Amino acid sequence: MNKKNSTAEDFREHLAQLREALLRLHKALVDSERIGYEQNIGTIPSPNHFLQLLTNDPWFAWLHPVSELIVALDEALDAKSKTPLTAELADGLVKQTAALLVASETGEGFARHYFDALQRDPDVVMAHAEAAKWFRPKS
């Protein structure tokens, strides 16, 4: 994002687009993990039970950083926020997104789980590619 000639509204629009892309990526990751969970553990009997698993079960814990990043974007975009949206805040959130969404075959934690999800699910690959448009440096 070109900060020099950008306005607060430009930052807001960029972050809103990034947020929407992250929501789609998060959904693809959750759907992919649900399939894996049900194949390995068993059918999830209800939406309420699934929500409990998403928030409390170690199987899904690796997804929490994406959820937290979406919340941070929501807070930055909230017009009633006590913290004004600045170029620095917007840039920081974009960089945080880029740093998080790095897959690693040899890594641990999020990076390893993310690598596995990208390998097994084309919907995750497509959602990642869409999100990457909003955090990849412009050449």
Side-chain angles (χ1 to χ4, degrees), residues 39-122:
Q39 289 172 341
N40 287 281
I41 308 295
T43 301
I44 300 170
S46 70
N48 186 46
H49 186 80
F50 185 47
L51 179 59
Q52 293 301 313
L53 291 171
L54 278 174
T55 56
N56 300 316
D57 193 282
W59 185 281
F60 297 97
W62 75 273
L63 296 169
H64 294 178
V66 179
S67 303
E68 292 164 3
L69 185 55
I70 292 167
V71 169
L73 287 164
D74 285 343
E75 290 172 353
L77 292 166
D78 183 359
K80 298 174 190 162
S81 176
K82 292 180 176 143
T83 306
L85 182 57
T86 63
E88 292 74 25
L89 177 58
D91 190 49
L93 288 166
V94 171
K95 286 179 179 175
Q96 186 178 349
T97 304
L100 177 63
L101 297 183
V102 174
S104 175
E105 183 175 13
T106 58
E108 297 178 5
F110 182 89
R112 176 56 198 228
H113 285 284
Y114 195 51
F115 174 85
D116 292 341
L118 286 164
Q119 295 304 305
R120 78 172 169 266
D121 194 328

Side-chain angles (χ1 to χ4, degrees), residues 15-25 73 77 130 134:
L15 287 185
Q17 294 292 335
L18 175 60
R19 179 190 173 277
E20 290 302 314
L22 277 178
L23 283 173
R24 287 188 292 276
L25 176 59
L73 287 164
L77 292 166
E130 181 61 32
W134 300 103

Side-chain angles (χ1 to χ4, degrees), residues 25-42:
L25 176 59
H26 186 262
K27 181 181 182 334
L29 290 168
V30 167
D31 291 348
S32 182
E33 283 304 303
R34 181 180 185 150
I35 291 167
Y37 182 93
E38 290 186 329
Q39 289 172 341
N40 287 281
I41 308 295

